[in-house]
Amino acid sequence: MLNHTKVWSFNPCGYAFLGEHEKFTFRGASDFTDPNFISRIVKDVPIVIDWAIGNQSCSEVKNSTAYSCKEHSLCIDSESGRGGYRCICEEGYDGNPYLTPGCQDIDECTKNPCDGICKNTPGGFQCSCPKGYFGDGQKGRGCQKERDLPVLKLSLGLGLGLLSLLVSFSWIYFGIKRRKILKLREKFFKQNGGMLLKQQTSSNLNKVFTIEELKKATNNFAKDRILGVGGNGIVYKGILPDQRIVAIKKSKQLEQNQIEEFINEVVILTQINHRNVVKLLGCCLETEVPLLVYEYISHGTLHHHIHNNGGNMPWLSFQNRLRIAVESANAFNYLHYAASIPILHRDIKSANILLDDYYTARIADFGASRLRPFDQADMSSLIPGTLGYLDPEGIQMGLSDKSDVYSFGVVLAELLAGREAIDLTLPNKEKSLAAYFKASVKENRLFQILHHRVLKEGSLEQLNAIGELVVRCLNTKGEERPTMKEVATELEGFTKYNSRTWAHHDQENNQLEMGEMISEQEDLYSVLMYTSTNYDTSSSDQQSTEISAKREENPLFDD
């Protein structure tokens, strides 16, 4: 390479070599005069030759006779882009992968990779500790003499022993506690008449829930699941595993002498199938106080709709009030006369009439109910019911089916007047709705106490007739009250009355002479009919209409 005789004078190059391009840096003319240039290139610049066997990939050549990789070798596809492959030895092996017998096992133990005993294996090695030592023998972790073990073994033994004792005692404690809970549930189940209930029911009539099912359904009876608190207990909202929403009632303490009667009631109530009565789905007897599971009714109580927002909820028209009265009366009539044993509700009030998704009336809360023939009055020392709805005669003589009629009469008065059954903020004569309603009818002042929507939307004949029915229901003598069957029949008849409102009736009679409207015995009073932009079809500037009327002997009101 030092013969320059055939090289142009402008090209004094005296070296030529193969090498990796990125590893060589040309320093200029000094490289030609540097005596160490050759040794530096040999040392720093690796020779790279990119080659491959054939033009087939490993997957293509492996099963052919042309495959050149021998035993304990791996085939690698060439990355040149022109095909072909090369062979390398597997890990733990060394040699020429192209010549027989192929790659040979490397004895790694010659490099002393272990702190303990090294054992060579094909393609690898294993480390272990000699006798009297423990550990894995790996380099850096080493082996320790067994004389250091007793303290460690003792510590581990004590720790495991204490852990075993703790687990054992915990298992025994919770086992005993669980047995006590199961025994207590079994005791309550028997105490609450569970065996009697099993004897009297078939599997299709109702379900006896476990307390665990109801705890899970109510999130362990969480406060945010409470739907309401009443005189007979607390009602929770629950979600069963099948995603049914239910109302779970936790009743008050059940006396021992009432168990058989309670079970009989559960059996009867689970058989009630009326569209206007809330269905009893089952019960739980594993607690001190029995739990009753009812279907869930979504739109709250009638009491809420009557008394919230001044009774001006859009749907609460006079016709819907009358419909709810008819549906409720039919349900109570069913309980009194269609059930296998007559059922007295004994706590009828607007708060116990629920409304479903379609605002259909559903009778609820049978906590105070009793099953008995109607010729046997309930002479319990503790009279159930709610102040304002209680039958005065029933308090003295014992509750009967006519006591339910009285209470329902108060509900009808609520629907008509939009007033609370008892309102202590009003003057004495108006505190009791029942007494005030009867007095208003007697004094021909019925239309003064009616809710403005009822007054505007109901016809004169309807309002007069319903007012008379309410007074009959509120009669202080039970025997002179109508039966629930008669109440339901009359209310259904009222729905067929002429739908002309009192306002229309008055407009027609305004054409009569004033002299024909006033008799010698004058008793004039004004009734203010409030209008509402939601319901009034008159002009927007008309805010009220004052109507004069007089009282005659027979009609409650005559315009």
Side-chain angles (χ1 to χ4, degrees), residues 490-542:
E490 289 190 39
L491 285 173
E492 285 184 348
F494 297 153
T495 62
K496 302 169 185 174
Y497 270 52
N498 192 316
S499 61
R500 292 186 308 162
T501 64
W502 179 29
H504 293 155
H505 189 84
D506 180 68
Q507 189 175 8
E508 293 173 3
N509 286 339
N510 280 340
Q511 299 174 3
L512 300 175
E513 295 181 0
M514 292 297 295
E516 296 178 0
M517 296 178 63
I518 305 177
S519 65
E520 292 182 1
Q521 179 185 1
E522 292 187 349
D523 185 10
L524 300 178
Y525 60 91
S526 297
V527 179
L528 194 63
M529 292 182 61
Y530 299 98
T531 62
S532 170
T533 55
N534 290 335
Y535 311 105
D536 194 5
T537 57
S538 62
S539 60
S540 59
D541 60 1
Q542 183 182 2

Short mmCIF file of all heavy atoms in Angstrom, two decimals, residues 490-542:
data_model
loop_
_atom_site.label_atom_id
_atom_site.label_comp_id
_atom_site.label_asym_id
_atom_site.label_seq_id
_atom_site.Cartn_x
_atom_site.Cartn_y
_atom_site.Cartn_z
N GLU A 490 -122.70 5.76 46.10
CA GLU A 490 -123.10 7.15 45.92
C GLU A 490 -122.01 7.97 45.25
O GLU A 490 -122.28 8.80 44.38
CB GLU A 490 -123.47 7.76 47.28
CG GLU A 490 -124.77 7.22 47.85
CD GLU A 490 -125.25 8.01 49.07
OE1 GLU A 490 -125.10 9.25 49.05
OE2 GLU A 490 -125.75 7.40 50.03
N LEU A 491 -120.75 7.74 45.64
CA LEU A 491 -119.65 8.50 45.03
C LEU A 491 -119.53 8.19 43.55
O LEU A 491 -119.27 9.09 42.74
CB LEU A 491 -118.34 8.17 45.74
CG LEU A 491 -118.14 8.80 47.12
CD1 LEU A 491 -116.89 8.25 47.79
CD2 LEU A 491 -118.05 10.32 47.02
N GLU A 492 -119.72 6.93 43.18
CA GLU A 492 -119.69 6.58 41.75
C GLU A 492 -120.81 7.28 41.00
O GLU A 492 -120.64 7.70 39.86
CB GLU A 492 -119.79 5.07 41.59
CG GLU A 492 -118.51 4.32 41.93
CD GLU A 492 -118.61 2.83 41.66
OE1 GLU A 492 -119.74 2.35 41.43
OE2 GLU A 492 -117.57 2.16 41.69
N GLY A 493 -121.96 7.42 41.67
CA GLY A 493 -123.08 8.13 41.04
C GLY A 493 -122.77 9.59 40.81
O GLY A 493 -123.21 10.19 39.81
N PHE A 494 -121.99 10.21 41.71
CA PHE A 494 -121.67 11.63 41.57
C PHE A 494 -120.83 11.90 40.34
O PHE A 494 -120.83 13.01 39.81
CB PHE A 494 -120.92 12.13 42.81
CG PHE A 494 -121.75 12.05 44.08
CD1 PHE A 494 -121.13 11.91 45.32
CD2 PHE A 494 -123.13 12.10 44.03
CE1 PHE A 494 -121.88 11.83 46.47
CE2 PHE A 494 -123.89 12.02 45.19
CZ PHE A 494 -123.26 11.87 46.42
N THR A 495 -120.06 10.90 39.89
CA THR A 495 -119.21 11.10 38.71
C THR A 495 -120.04 11.25 37.44
O THR A 495 -119.52 11.72 36.42
CB THR A 495 -118.24 9.92 38.52
OG1 THR A 495 -118.99 8.71 38.31
CG2 THR A 495 -117.36 9.74 39.75
N LYS A 496 -121.33 10.87 37.48
CA LYS A 496 -122.19 10.94 36.30
C LYS A 496 -123.05 12.20 36.28
O LYS A 496 -123.87 12.38 35.40
CB LYS A 496 -123.09 9.70 36.24
CG LYS A 496 -122.30 8.40 36.21
CD LYS A 496 -123.20 7.20 36.43
CE LYS A 496 -122.36 5.92 36.52
NZ LYS A 496 -123.18 4.75 36.87
N TYR A 497 -122.84 13.07 37.29
CA TYR A 497 -123.61 14.31 37.33
C TYR A 497 -123.24 15.21 36.16
O TYR A 497 -122.16 15.10 35.56
CB TYR A 497 -123.33 15.05 38.64
CG TYR A 497 -124.28 14.68 39.77
CD1 TYR A 497 -124.48 13.36 40.13
CD2 TYR A 497 -124.96 15.67 40.46
CE1 TYR A 497 -125.32 13.01 41.15
CE2 TYR A 497 -125.81 15.33 41.51
CZ TYR A 497 -126.00 14.01 41.85
OH TYR A 497 -126.82 13.67 42.87
N ASN A 498 -124.15 16.16 35.85
CA ASN A 498 -123.86 17.17 34.84
C ASN A 498 -122.58 17.90 35.22
O ASN A 498 -122.41 18.33 36.35
CB ASN A 498 -125.03 18.17 34.76
CG ASN A 498 -124.92 19.06 33.54
OD1 ASN A 498 -123.85 19.56 33.24
ND2 ASN A 498 -126.04 19.26 32.86
N SER A 499 -121.67 18.03 34.27
CA SER A 499 -120.36 18.60 34.56
C SER A 499 -120.34 20.13 34.57
O SER A 499 -119.30 20.73 34.72
CB SER A 499 -119.33 18.11 33.53
OG SER A 499 -119.72 18.53 32.24
N ARG A 500 -121.55 20.77 34.42
CA ARG A 500 -121.56 22.22 34.44
C ARG A 500 -121.15 22.71 35.81
O ARG A 500 -121.64 22.25 36.83
CB ARG A 500 -122.94 22.75 34.11
CG ARG A 500 -123.39 22.53 32.68
CD ARG A 500 -124.71 23.23 32.42
NE ARG A 500 -125.69 22.85 33.43
CZ ARG A 500 -126.79 23.55 33.66
NH1 ARG A 500 -127.03 24.66 33.00
NH2 ARG A 500 -127.65 23.16 34.59
N THR A 501 -120.27 23.67 35.87
CA THR A 501 -119.78 24.17 37.16
C THR A 501 -120.77 25.15 37.75
O THR A 501 -121.69 25.65 37.08
CB THR A 501 -118.44 24.88 36.98
OG1 THR A 501 -118.64 26.02 36.17
CG2 THR A 501 -117.41 23.97 36.34
N TRP A 502 -120.53 25.45 39.03
CA TRP A 502 -121.37 26.42 39.71
C TRP A 502 -121.30 27.77 39.02
O TRP A 502 -122.27 28.50 38.90
CB TRP A 502 -120.88 26.50 41.17
CG TRP A 502 -121.64 27.48 42.01
CD1 TRP A 502 -122.94 27.87 41.88
CD2 TRP A 502 -121.10 28.22 43.10
NE1 TRP A 502 -123.26 28.79 42.83
CE2 TRP A 502 -122.16 29.02 43.60
CE3 TRP A 502 -119.86 28.28 43.71
CZ2 TRP A 502 -121.99 29.87 44.68
CZ3 TRP A 502 -119.69 29.12 44.79
CH2 TRP A 502 -120.74 29.91 45.27
N ALA A 503 -120.12 28.14 38.50
CA ALA A 503 -119.96 29.43 37.82
C ALA A 503 -120.88 29.51 36.60
O ALA A 503 -121.51 30.53 36.34
CB ALA A 503 -118.51 29.63 37.40
N HIS A 504 -120.96 28.38 35.84
CA HIS A 504 -121.86 28.36 34.67
C HIS A 504 -123.30 28.49 35.12
O HIS A 504 -124.10 29.20 34.52
CB HIS A 504 -121.66 27.06 33.88
CG HIS A 504 -120.31 26.97 33.24
ND1 HIS A 504 -119.73 25.76 32.93
CD2 HIS A 504 -119.45 27.93 32.85
CE1 HIS A 504 -118.56 25.98 32.38
NE2 HIS A 504 -118.36 27.30 32.33
N HIS A 505 -123.64 27.75 36.19
CA HIS A 505 -125.00 27.77 36.70
C HIS A 505 -125.38 29.18 37.12
O HIS A 505 -126.47 29.67 36.84
CB HIS A 505 -125.10 26.81 37.88
CG HIS A 505 -126.51 26.58 38.36
ND1 HIS A 505 -127.35 25.67 37.79
CD2 HIS A 505 -127.21 27.18 39.36
CE1 HIS A 505 -128.51 25.70 38.42
NE2 HIS A 505 -128.45 26.60 39.39
N ASP A 506 -124.47 29.86 37.76
CA ASP A 506 -124.72 31.21 38.23
C ASP A 506 -124.89 32.18 37.07
O ASP A 506 -125.72 33.07 37.10
CB ASP A 506 -123.56 31.66 39.13
CG ASP A 506 -123.77 33.07 39.67
OD1 ASP A 506 -124.69 33.25 40.48
OD2 ASP A 506 -123.01 33.96 39.24
N GLN A 507 -124.09 31.96 36.01
CA GLN A 507 -124.17 32.84 34.85
C GLN A 507 -125.54 32.77 34.20
O GLN A 507 -126.10 33.76 33.77
CB GLN A 507 -123.07 32.47 33.86
CG GLN A 507 -122.93 33.48 32.73
CD GLN A 507 -121.75 33.13 31.85
OE1 GLN A 507 -121.15 32.07 31.99
NE2 GLN A 507 -121.43 34.03 30.94
N GLU A 508 -126.13 31.57 34.16
CA GLU A 508 -127.46 31.41 33.59
C GLU A 508 -128.51 32.11 34.45
O GLU A 508 -129.41 32.79 33.96
CB GLU A 508 -127.79 29.93 33.46
CG GLU A 508 -126.92 29.21 32.45
CD GLU A 508 -127.18 27.71 32.48
OE1 GLU A 508 -128.05 27.29 33.25
OE2 GLU A 508 -126.48 26.98 31.74
N ASN A 509 -128.39 31.96 35.76
CA ASN A 509 -129.41 32.52 36.66
C ASN A 509 -129.29 34.03 36.79
O ASN A 509 -130.18 34.69 37.33
CB ASN A 509 -129.28 31.89 38.05
CG ASN A 509 -129.82 30.46 38.06
OD1 ASN A 509 -130.61 30.10 37.19
ND2 ASN A 509 -129.41 29.68 39.03
N ASN A 510 -128.15 34.61 36.32
CA ASN A 510 -128.02 36.07 36.37
C ASN A 510 -129.05 36.75 35.47
O ASN A 510 -129.28 37.95 35.58
CB ASN A 510 -126.62 36.49 35.93
CG ASN A 510 -125.64 36.33 37.06
OD1 ASN A 510 -126.04 36.26 38.23
ND2 ASN A 510 -124.35 36.27 36.73
N GLN A 511 -129.65 35.99 34.58
CA GLN A 511 -130.67 36.55 33.69
C GLN A 511 -132.01 36.72 34.41
O GLN A 511 -132.90 37.38 33.92
CB GLN A 511 -130.86 35.64 32.48
CG GLN A 511 -129.59 35.49 31.65
CD GLN A 511 -129.76 34.46 30.55
OE1 GLN A 511 -130.83 33.91 30.38
NE2 GLN A 511 -128.68 34.22 29.81
N LEU A 512 -132.14 36.06 35.57
CA LEU A 512 -133.39 36.19 36.34
C LEU A 512 -133.42 37.53 37.06
O LEU A 512 -132.38 38.14 37.33
CB LEU A 512 -133.49 35.05 37.36
CG LEU A 512 -133.51 33.64 36.76
CD1 LEU A 512 -133.49 32.62 37.90
CD2 LEU A 512 -134.74 33.44 35.89
N GLU A 513 -134.57 37.95 37.42
CA GLU A 513 -134.69 39.18 38.18
C GLU A 513 -134.21 38.96 39.60
O GLU A 513 -134.39 37.90 40.17
CB GLU A 513 -136.14 39.66 38.20
CG GLU A 513 -136.66 40.05 36.81
CD GLU A 513 -138.11 40.54 36.88
OE1 GLU A 513 -138.66 40.57 38.01
OE2 GLU A 513 -138.65 40.88 35.83
N MET A 514 -133.59 40.01 40.16
CA MET A 514 -133.06 39.91 41.51
C MET A 514 -134.17 39.63 42.51
O MET A 514 -133.96 38.98 43.53
CB MET A 514 -132.34 41.21 41.88
CG MET A 514 -131.08 41.44 41.09
SD MET A 514 -129.85 40.17 41.41
CE MET A 514 -129.53 40.52 43.14
N GLY A 515 -135.37 40.07 42.20
CA GLY A 515 -136.47 39.87 43.14
C GLY A 515 -136.81 38.41 43.33
O GLY A 515 -137.31 38.01 44.38
N GLU A 516 -136.56 37.59 42.29
CA GLU A 516 -136.87 36.17 42.38
C GLU A 516 -135.82 35.44 43.18
O GLU A 516 -136.02 34.29 43.56
CB GLU A 516 -136.96 35.58 40.97
CG GLU A 516 -138.10 36.17 40.15
CD GLU A 516 -138.11 35.60 38.75
OE1 GLU A 516 -137.23 34.76 38.47
OE2 GLU A 516 -138.98 35.98 37.96
N MET A 517 -134.64 36.06 43.43
CA MET A 517 -133.54 35.35 44.07
C MET A 517 -133.55 35.54 45.58
O MET A 517 -132.85 34.84 46.30
CB MET A 517 -132.18 35.84 43.51
CG MET A 517 -132.00 35.54 42.05
SD MET A 517 -130.45 36.18 41.46
CE MET A 517 -129.31 35.24 42.45
N ILE A 518 -134.31 36.55 46.05
CA ILE A 518 -134.23 36.88 47.47
C ILE A 518 -135.59 36.64 48.11
O ILE A 518 -136.60 37.14 47.67
CB ILE A 518 -133.80 38.34 47.67
CG1 ILE A 518 -132.48 38.59 46.92
CG2 ILE A 518 -133.67 38.68 49.15
CD1 ILE A 518 -132.02 40.02 46.99
N SER A 519 -135.66 35.86 49.14
CA SER A 519 -136.90 35.60 49.86
C SER A 519 -137.03 36.59 51.01
O SER A 519 -136.14 37.40 51.28
CB SER A 519 -136.91 34.18 50.39
OG SER A 519 -135.88 34.04 51.35
N GLU A 520 -138.14 36.49 51.74
CA GLU A 520 -138.35 37.38 52.85
C GLU A 520 -137.31 37.15 53.94
O GLU A 520 -136.87 38.08 54.61
CB GLU A 520 -139.75 37.15 53.43
CG GLU A 520 -140.86 37.60 52.47
CD GLU A 520 -142.23 37.40 53.10
OE1 GLU A 520 -142.26 36.95 54.27
OE2 GLU A 520 -143.22 37.70 52.44
N GLN A 521 -136.90 35.89 54.12
CA GLN A 521 -135.88 35.58 55.13
C GLN A 521 -134.52 35.64 54.46
O GLN A 521 -134.13 34.75 53.76
CB GLN A 521 -136.11 34.18 55.71
CG GLN A 521 -135.07 33.81 56.75
CD GLN A 521 -135.25 32.38 57.21
OE1 GLN A 521 -136.13 31.69 56.72
NE2 GLN A 521 -134.41 31.96 58.13
N GLU A 522 -133.81 36.76 54.63
CA GLU A 522 -132.55 36.94 53.96
C GLU A 522 -131.40 36.51 54.86
O GLU A 522 -131.36 36.84 56.04
CB GLU A 522 -132.36 38.41 53.56
CG GLU A 522 -133.33 38.85 52.47
CD GLU A 522 -133.01 40.24 51.98
OE1 GLU A 522 -132.19 40.92 52.63
OE2 GLU A 522 -133.57 40.64 50.96
N ASP A 523 -130.49 35.78 54.27
CA ASP A 523 -129.26 35.38 54.98
C ASP A 523 -128.15 35.40 53.95
O ASP A 523 -127.75 34.36 53.42
CB ASP A 523 -129.43 33.99 55.59
CG ASP A 523 -128.22 33.62 56.42
OD1 ASP A 523 -127.38 34.50 56.66
OD2 ASP A 523 -128.12 32.43 56.79
N LEU A 524 -127.68 36.58 53.59
CA LEU A 524 -126.73 36.74 52.49
C LEU A 524 -125.31 36.59 52.98
O LEU A 524 -124.98 37.01 54.08
CB LEU A 524 -126.91 38.11 51.83
CG LEU A 524 -128.28 38.39 51.24
CD1 LEU A 524 -128.31 39.80 50.66
CD2 LEU A 524 -128.62 37.40 50.15
N TYR A 525 -124.49 35.95 52.17
CA TYR A 525 -123.06 35.91 52.45
C TYR A 525 -122.32 35.84 51.13
O TYR A 525 -122.87 35.44 50.12
CB TYR A 525 -122.70 34.73 53.36
CG TYR A 525 -123.04 33.37 52.81
CD1 TYR A 525 -122.12 32.65 52.05
CD2 TYR A 525 -124.29 32.81 53.04
CE1 TYR A 525 -122.43 31.41 51.55
CE2 TYR A 525 -124.60 31.57 52.54
CZ TYR A 525 -123.68 30.87 51.81
OH TYR A 525 -123.98 29.64 51.31
N SER A 526 -121.09 36.27 51.15
CA SER A 526 -120.28 36.30 49.93
C SER A 526 -119.30 35.16 49.93
O SER A 526 -118.73 34.83 50.97
CB SER A 526 -119.52 37.63 49.83
OG SER A 526 -120.46 38.69 49.73
N VAL A 527 -119.12 34.57 48.77
CA VAL A 527 -118.14 33.51 48.59
C VAL A 527 -117.11 34.00 47.57
O VAL A 527 -117.47 34.33 46.45
CB VAL A 527 -118.77 32.22 48.09
CG1 VAL A 527 -117.70 31.15 47.88
CG2 VAL A 527 -119.83 31.73 49.07
N LEU A 528 -115.84 34.08 47.95
CA LEU A 528 -114.79 34.56 47.06
C LEU A 528 -114.21 33.39 46.29
O LEU A 528 -113.67 32.47 46.88
CB LEU A 528 -113.69 35.26 47.86
CG LEU A 528 -112.70 36.08 47.04
CD1 LEU A 528 -113.42 37.23 46.33
CD2 LEU A 528 -111.60 36.64 47.95
N MET A 529 -114.37 33.40 44.97
CA MET A 529 -113.83 32.33 44.12
C MET A 529 -112.50 32.79 43.55
O MET A 529 -112.46 33.58 42.62
CB MET A 529 -114.79 32.00 42.98
CG MET A 529 -116.07 31.34 43.45
SD MET A 529 -117.11 30.93 42.07
CE MET A 529 -116.08 29.81 41.21
N TYR A 530 -111.39 32.30 44.10
CA TYR A 530 -110.07 32.70 43.62
C TYR A 530 -109.79 32.04 42.28
O TYR A 530 -110.07 30.88 42.08
CB TYR A 530 -108.99 32.30 44.64
CG TYR A 530 -109.17 32.95 45.97
CD1 TYR A 530 -109.78 32.27 47.02
CD2 TYR A 530 -108.72 34.26 46.16
CE1 TYR A 530 -109.96 32.90 48.25
CE2 TYR A 530 -108.88 34.87 47.39
CZ TYR A 530 -109.51 34.20 48.44
OH TYR A 530 -109.66 34.79 49.64
N THR A 531 -109.20 32.80 41.40
CA THR A 531 -108.85 32.25 40.09
C THR A 531 -107.39 31.88 40.08
O THR A 531 -106.60 32.35 40.88
CB THR A 531 -109.12 33.27 38.98
OG1 THR A 531 -108.30 34.40 39.22
CG2 THR A 531 -110.58 33.68 38.97
N SER A 532 -107.03 31.03 39.14
CA SER A 532 -105.63 30.60 39.00
C SER A 532 -105.27 30.64 37.53
O SER A 532 -106.03 30.17 36.69
CB SER A 532 -105.45 29.20 39.55
OG SER A 532 -104.20 28.69 39.23
N THR A 533 -104.11 31.14 37.22
CA THR A 533 -103.68 31.21 35.82
C THR A 533 -103.51 29.85 35.22
O THR A 533 -103.51 29.68 34.02
CB THR A 533 -102.36 31.99 35.71
OG1 THR A 533 -101.41 31.36 36.57
CG2 THR A 533 -102.54 33.44 36.11
N ASN A 534 -103.36 28.82 36.09
CA ASN A 534 -103.17 27.46 35.57
C ASN A 534 -104.49 26.86 35.10
O ASN A 534 -104.51 25.96 34.29
CB ASN A 534 -102.56 26.57 36.65
CG ASN A 534 -101.13 26.94 36.91
OD1 ASN A 534 -100.48 27.49 36.04
ND2 ASN A 534 -100.64 26.63 38.11
N TYR A 535 -105.60 27.34 35.68
CA TYR A 535 -106.85 26.62 35.42
C TYR A 535 -107.96 27.54 34.92
O TYR A 535 -108.96 27.09 34.38
CB TYR A 535 -107.33 25.93 36.69
CG TYR A 535 -106.24 25.16 37.35
CD1 TYR A 535 -105.63 25.64 38.50
CD2 TYR A 535 -105.77 23.99 36.78
CE1 TYR A 535 -104.60 24.95 39.09
CE2 TYR A 535 -104.74 23.30 37.37
CZ TYR A 535 -104.15 23.78 38.53
OH TYR A 535 -103.14 23.09 39.11
N ASP A 536 -107.83 28.88 35.13
CA ASP A 536 -108.92 29.80 34.80
C ASP A 536 -108.93 30.06 33.30
O ASP A 536 -107.91 30.39 32.71
CB ASP A 536 -108.72 31.11 35.57
CG ASP A 536 -109.98 31.96 35.54
OD1 ASP A 536 -110.99 31.48 35.01
OD2 ASP A 536 -109.93 33.10 36.06
N THR A 537 -110.11 29.96 32.69
CA THR A 537 -110.23 30.21 31.26
C THR A 537 -110.79 31.60 31.00
O THR A 537 -111.01 31.97 29.85
CB THR A 537 -111.15 29.16 30.61
OG1 THR A 537 -112.41 29.19 31.28
CG2 THR A 537 -110.56 27.77 30.76
N SER A 538 -111.05 32.38 32.05
CA SER A 538 -111.55 33.75 31.88
C SER A 538 -110.41 34.69 31.56
O SER A 538 -109.27 34.31 31.54
CB SER A 538 -112.30 34.17 33.14
OG SER A 538 -111.42 34.17 34.23
N SER A 539 -110.71 35.93 31.35
CA SER A 539 -109.67 36.91 30.99
C SER A 539 -108.70 37.08 32.13
O SER A 539 -109.04 36.90 33.29
CB SER A 539 -110.34 38.24 30.66
OG SER A 539 -111.06 38.72 31.78
N SER A 540 -107.48 37.49 31.80
CA SER A 540 -106.40 37.53 32.76
C SER A 540 -106.61 38.58 33.82
O SER A 540 -106.07 38.49 34.91
CB SER A 540 -105.07 37.77 32.05
OG SER A 540 -105.12 38.99 31.35
N ASP A 541 -107.37 39.63 33.54
CA ASP A 541 -107.53 40.68 34.53
C ASP A 541 -108.63 40.39 35.53
O ASP A 541 -108.85 41.13 36.48
CB ASP A 541 -107.80 42.01 33.82
CG ASP A 541 -109.06 41.95 32.97
OD1 ASP A 541 -109.70 40.90 32.98
OD2 ASP A 541 -109.37 42.96 32.31
N GLN A 542 -109.37 39.30 35.34
CA GLN A 542 -110.43 38.94 36.28
C GLN A 542 -109.83 38.09 37.38
O GLN A 542 -109.48 36.96 37.17
CB GLN A 542 -111.53 38.15 35.57
CG GLN A 542 -112.70 37.81 36.52
CD GLN A 542 -113.76 37.00 35.83
OE1 GLN A 542 -113.58 36.67 34.68
NE2 GLN A 542 -114.84 36.70 36.52
#
